[in-house]
Amino acid sequence: MTTCDELVAACDQQLAPARFKDYTVNGLQVSGRERVCRVMSGVTACQALLDEAVAWEADLVLVHHGYFWKNEPVNIVGMKRRRLATLMRHDINLLAYHLPLDAHATLGNNAALAERLGFGVAGCVDGALGEGLIWHGTPSEPMTPRHLAEHVGERLARSPLLVESAEGGEVRRVAWCTGGAQDMIVQAAEAGADAFISGEISERTTHLAREMGIHYLAAGHHATERYGVQALGEWLVERFGVDHRFVDIDNPA
């Protein structure tokens, strides 16, 4: 029998959340039953995912986007109350890892995205591999920006928004950071990347890309962060023999 404490301790040891200055709580966010046999994973602990967990009789929900974000209202009302009530009524644990899951060298979102897109990993722009958030490397072959966009769209099943730099040119060096990391385009450009891939785009991102000479692909916050939590879930299967099921709640953003 695997206990929740054993599973959480193993994840904490593997992901080392204390190394990261995050703006949410990493680790066990809501405690439920002690015995864990079924783990359901998803990108975000939304009500739809919780309903799936209840139907599947999951013991633990594992996500990248949990609750208790910095500066959010503390009142337990409305949507927040319904979500927490669902977990507590059905005695389900909620385990969430944010930046630690972005950065992990083998199980993280950036590592998993590189594998899915076939990128060779050279390291991180902003720190050691496994600690930095802006990864960089090379595509399987030099690509035009539009070819790269087509490749990303095929691999993620979501067409990215492409902003081509005014300088044009092939993509031989690429940088990436999943999720809402569009402002990291500045560091990517300064590091010499020809293209930067993240999830979201802001109005200013277009101007930064055009004027700094770097192509930008907004491939979707959700779409770029579906893979780390799956890798962590499968790691738990290997480590503890639990049942694991990933549920992809559709999100176009």
Side-chain angles (χ1 to χ4, degrees), residues 19 26 31 54 63 103 156 162 167 225 236 238 244 246 249:
R19 294 182 304 166
N26 287 295
S31 63
V54 171
V63 295
L156 301 187
L162 170 64
E167 297 181 8
E225 296 195 325
L236 291 174
E238 296 174 4
H244 169 238
F246 172 76
I249 303 298

Side-chain angles (χ1 to χ4, degrees), residues 35-55:
R35 185 167 181 255
V36 175
C37 297
R38 288 187 169 188
V39 174
M40 177 169 285
S41 65
V43 176
T44 298
C46 60
Q47 188 64 48
L49 182 66
L50 301 185
D51 292 343
E52 291 279 355
V54 171

Side-chain angles (χ1 to χ4, degrees), residues 114-251:
E115 181 178 0
R116 191 159 191 87
L117 296 180
F119 292 163
V121 176
C124 293
V125 171
D126 57 339
L129 193 66
E131 297 181 4
L133 295 173
I134 309 172
W135 288 42
H136 70 100
T138 54
S140 57
E141 60 182 7
M143 301 181 185
T144 67
R146 295 188 182 185
H147 182 195
L148 177 61
E150 290 172 1
H151 174 69
V152 170
E154 290 172 0
R155 299 301 296 151
L156 301 187
R158 182 194 187 280
S159 296
L161 188 156
L162 170 64
V163 178
E164 294 189 60
S165 89
E167 297 181 8
E170 287 188 324
V171 176
R172 297 175 180 272
R173 296 166 297 178
V174 63
W176 64 96
C177 182
T178 65
Q182 60 268 45
D183 286 339
M184 292 180 178
I185 189 174
V186 174
Q187 290 165 276
E190 291 175 345
D194 302 312
F196 180 57
I197 301 170
S198 189
E200 300 183 14
I201 187 168
S202 299
E203 189 273 345
R204 60 187 173 274
T205 316
T206 296
H207 303 296
L208 288 169
R210 289 173 177 169
E211 295 178 35
M212 297 192 75
I214 184 171
H215 309 295
Y216 181 68
L217 288 82
H221 194 135
H222 177 87
T224 57
E225 296 195 325
R226 287 180 293 194
Y227 307 106
V229 72
Q230 294 183 61
L232 183 58
E234 290 305 305
W235 181 79
L236 291 174
V237 172
E238 296 174 4
R239 178 75 181 267
F240 295 103
V242 296
D243 292 331
H244 169 238
R245 179 185 171 198
F246 172 76
V247 175
D248 190 12
I249 303 298
D250 181 61
N251 188 335

